[in-house]
Structures are given as structure tokens and as C-alpha cells.
Amino acid sequence: MPANDAETLILDLVTPVEQVEMVDLGTSLDRVLGQSVSSQLDFPHWDNSAMDGYAVRYEDAVTVPVSLRVVEEIPAGQVPQHTLGPGETARIFTGGMLPAGADTVVMQENTQRQGEQVTVLTTPTQGAFVRKQGSFYQAGGDLLTPGTKIGAAEIAVLAAAQCVPVPVYRRPRVAILSTGDELVEIQQTLAPGQIVDSNRYALAALIVQAGAVPVPLGIVPDQKDATRQAIATALTQADVVISSGGVSVGDYDYVDQILAELGATIHIRSVAVKPGKPLTVATFGDQLYFGLPGNPVSSLVSFWRFVQPALRKLSGLSTGWSPPFVWAKTDEDLTAGGKRETYLWGRLVLGDSGYRFSLATGGHSSGNLVNLSRTNGLAKVPLGATKITAGSDVRVLAVGAGTA
Ligand code: AMP
Ligand code: MG
């Protein structure tokens, strides 16, 4: 199955979480808003000044210079006491409430003050430097809609609307199973043939980055009963189960067989992508199962390409599910076999004329987690293509820090 078809199929299988929980504004960063937010107040709440200057009746300042009588001073936070009559003005500061009668603010730089009088030197435009009540937002409408990711700007709006606590979708729970007789716990001394279960930690980090909660459930030996038991348990603990290893065609690769025995619907068994060809996608009702390949690079690439969009949709985000691809110019030739969408890892650097991509040195083997580290982009050689020449444009999947 081509990778794009797999992504579409996977997204179609996802039903976003619906449960909403309330969190403090201070901990709402990066959460997904679960209800629409509105206010009973207009924004701005009242006409106010955008400048330090003088509030005037426009008609009084059409012909300049003109001397006006200063009847009061209105700092931000104070309620004006006078209605401006003909020939009157009020000293006003940024954020100060516009007095009744005034419709325009003359900036201080265009005036000259003498005691209780001020001379307006330049004709203002009508309505200048007045932030009109309701010009940003009118009471009762939607300030923010559900499915919005909460960043600094959204936090400012939530605070201004006194929306505390904040309704957010609960985070999806994602179980992690690591299959393989060769795997050991991180603190264990390695015997010949053994390796640390590193995928568990990498996947947990990716799950957090995708806005979900990792539930690591440990190492599963390459035995049918153990695999069956582990998957059954995982399904009781999480919305999504991710396993790594055991999905290729080896004699000890039991995952697909056990999924079928447990009554899963298997939607995908392999995708035309390199690294990461064996990829099992199954469902148990609403619950999704991803069987990722065990090779460290393959499992990460499969996550970025296929699991990340699913988790984003699941978490309630209304947009932005697909992986973030940017255009870059490649520093080296990029080659591929042509039969699979191929990813080559390296560094994306943003310069004055856009992104550049340079390949990681060393082998681009699906087991080489060493040179995958310190990279932040996966250049894509599309299905059917065998070469992208140095200097030409390439799509790069941005991963990790330091990119868009
Ligand atoms: P498999 O997909 O089970 O055939 O595993 C493919 C390769 O990935 C083998 O070299 C495994 O030793 C390795 N591998 C499998 N699971 C993990 C894991 N959790 N952490 C690190 N390497 C793994
Ligand atoms: Mg294995």
C-alpha cells in the first residue's frame, strides 16, 4: 500500500476523544481546547485610546492649529468624569477609556501644551487611535473553538475572557509493548545477543510530543501466549496500543497472528515505505493497534509518518494532523530503489533562502539509531523516483527540534 493511502486509511479509522476535563490555565499549554469559549463582554470592552495624547471631538480639530481646554486627565483604569463639550479635550493615556463626546485621539507628538490649554497642530483623521468597543470581538460569539491547540496567544485570550479553569480534551493513553527475546531492561548487564529495549523510550517520547500519555508495558518475549496476554492487557489500559518488533515474516513474528486470534480487524500489513515496510494497523472496535517494525529507525519513521497523524486526530485537534513536510534544497544526491517511498535522514537548516538539507553521514540502515540522532529531518524520495540531484528541491519531514 502506498504511504499516502495508508495515512488516509489510518486517519479514517480514528475517532477523536470526546471526554473533556478541566485544567488550570497555567497547565493548559499544548492541550487541545475541548469546548468553545466565549465572553459576555465585547473586546475591547469599551472605546479606549491606542496612544498617549488628547481625546477630542473630531469636528473641533478639523481646522488647525486650534486651542482646546483640557477638562480632565484619564489614565488607564479610570472612568472619565466629563462629557466633552465644544472646545474641550481630555488628556488620555494608552488604554484609557474614551470620554463621552470624544471620537478621536490626537497623539501627544502633534500637540503643544500650555497649562490648561492644549494646541492641536495637525488635523487628525476621524476616529484615529480609538480602539472601538467590540472591534476585535463581539460578546456572545466564539472566541476560540474546540479542537484548537493552546499556545501562548490562546492562553492570553483565555485569560482575558476569564476562562478558568480551561476545558480540554483528555489526553489519549497509548500503551507500548516491546517484543523480542533479545531485549533487556535498561539497567541490566548485557549478555551476548542481548540489547536494551530502546524503542520503548523513543516511542514514549514521541507519544508525549504528539500530545498523548505513554503507558509503557514492558518487554514481551517472542512466545504466542505471552504476546496474546500482553496485547489483551494493553487493550484494557489504553486507547491505542503500539508494539515494536514481531511484525515481519520471521518465524518468531507472532503479532499479526495473535491480533487475528483476538478478533482484531487488520487493515494494513505492510506499506511501501523505507525504512518501515512491515507495519500492521488493526482495530478492536474504537481502539487502534499499531504493530511497528522493531528496527529502531524503522519504528521511529513509522511513528512520524503514520502514528503521529493518528494521535493528533485522536487528541481532538481539528486541523494539522498530517506530518509537517517542508521544501528544502538538498546538498547531496538522494537515491532510492524506486519501489518504496524512501526516507533519508539528515539536518534541515533554515537560511535566508529557505531550508537546506544535508544527509547524515554513515549508513542509512534501518538499525542505525546512532546516526539518526542529531538529525531533524527525513528527506523523502517519492514512490517511483530513484534520484533527487544535489541542488534540487526535496520534501523533508521535519522532526524534532530546530525546524518549522
Ligand atoms: P523485528 O522487527 O522483531 O524482526 O526486529 C528487527 C530488529 O529490531 C532486530 O534487530 C531487533 O533486535 C531490533 N529491535 C526490536 N525491538 C527492539 C527494541 N524494542 N529496541 C531496540 N531494538 C529492537
Ligand atoms: Mg523481534
Side-chain angles (χ1 to χ4, degrees):
M1 182 182 293
N4 284 339
D5 295 356
E7 185 192 331
T8 307
L9 195 161
I10 290 166
L11 283 173
D12 281 347
L13 296 173
V14 176
T15 312
V17 296
E18 282 172 358
Q19 297 94 324
V20 169
E21 59 192 30
M22 304 305 277
V23 296
D24 283 347
L25 184 61
T27 58
S28 67
L29 182 66
D30 287 342
R31 299 297 300 265
V32 182
L33 193 66
Q35 283 165 11
S36 56
V37 170
S38 63
S39 172
Q40 292 317 307
L41 294 176
D42 292 333
F43 281 67
H45 309 324
W46 11 262
D47 293 356
N48 71 96
S49 177
M51 280 284 171
D52 295 327
Y54 291 86
V56 301
R57 296 150 34 102
Y58 171 71
E59 60 197 276
D60 287 353
V62 175
T63 315
V64 290
V66 59
S67 181
L68 302 172
R69 193 165 67 84
V70 182
V71 295
E72 71 172 317
E73 183 168 297
I74 313 166
Q78 292 210 6
V79 180
Q81 303 299 317
H82 287 79
T83 297
L84 293 193
E88 292 182 341
T89 183
R91 177 75 170 121
I92 197 164
F93 299 92
T94 306
M97 291 177 83
L98 214 69
D103 59 0
T104 300
V105 171
V106 179
M107 58 198 274
Q108 169 175 319
E109 290 84 340
N110 293 339
T111 63
Q112 208 165 47
R113 180 78 180 254
Q114 313 92 11
E116 293 309 295
Q117 296 289 127
V118 67
T119 306
V120 177
L121 304 170
T122 322
T123 304
T125 35
Q126 188 163 21
F129 305 121
V130 176
R131 300 192 285 219
K132 293 292 284 178
Q133 174 172 349
S135 60
F136 304 156
Y137 164 82
Q138 283 169 6
D142 281 343
L143 265 174
L144 292 170
T145 50
T148 303
K149 186 162 180 176
I150 300 176
E154 289 73 23
I155 285 179
V157 171
L158 291 164
Q162 297 176 309
C163 177
V164 280
V166 183
V168 295
Y169 289 119
R170 76 170 173 87
R171 287 194 180 101
R173 289 167 58 83
V174 183
I176 307 168
L177 299 172
S178 306
T179 78
D181 283 341
E182 73 281 28
L183 304 177
V184 296
E185 297 292 338
I186 198 163
Q187 66 281 1
Q188 213 163 311
T189 307
L190 300 182
Q194 295 183 328
I195 58 169
V196 172
D197 167 18
S198 58
N199 285 352
R200 178 200 314 183
Y201 298 95
L203 291 171
L206 293 172
I207 289 164
V208 169
Q209 283 181 339
V213 180
V215 184
L217 294 176
I219 295 164
V220 185
D222 290 319
Q223 292 157 14
K224 285 189 195 171
D225 285 345
T227 307
R228 187 181 298 113
Q229 185 58 50
I231 293 175
T233 304
L235 288 166
T236 67
Q237 310 229 346
D239 303 286
V240 175
V241 179
I242 299 180
S243 62
S244 69
V247 287
S248 24
V249 293
D251 290 349
Y252 299 96
D253 295 333
Y254 294 131
V255 170
D256 283 13
Q257 184 188 335
I258 301 296
L259 287 173
E261 282 178 30
L262 286 171
T265 309
I266 298 188
H267 303 273
I268 298 173
R269 284 180 196 277
S270 104
V271 182
V273 61
K274 183 185 176 182
K277 178 177 163 196
L279 171 76
T280 296
V281 180
T283 46
F284 292 87
D286 266 1
Q287 285 172 291
L288 263 172
Y289 189 100
F290 288 95
L292 307 186
N295 275 310
V297 179
S298 308
S299 70
L300 265 71
V301 171
S302 307
F303 187 99
W304 280 315
R305 186 69 184 82
F306 304 110
V307 184
Q308 169 177 254
L311 294 187
R312 287 191 180 149
K313 180 173 179 189
L314 184 66
S315 70
L317 280 179
S318 50
T319 54
W321 304 331
S322 287
F325 281 97
V326 298
W327 282 107
K329 290 221 184 301
T330 177
D331 287 342
E332 294 95 5
D333 286 349
L334 305 172
T335 56
K339 294 202 171 69
R340 294 191 267 160
E341 183 173 297
T342 299
Y343 288 95
L344 297 159
W345 44 103
R347 282 207 68 80
L348 262 182
V349 176
L350 186 56
D352 288 344
S353 49
Y355 283 105
R356 298 197 70 89
F357 176 80
S358 57
L359 272 179
T361 53
H364 282 242
S365 142
S366 56
N368 191 350
L369 54 72
V370 176
N371 77 341
L372 181 69
S373 70
R374 299 185 304 276
T375 65
N376 62 353
L378 295 162
K380 176 171 94 175
V381 183
L383 194 64
T386 52
K387 186 171 179 182
I388 295 175
T389 331
S392 47
D393 293 321
V394 61
R395 296 287 274 167
V396 181
L397 202 172
V399 298
T403 46

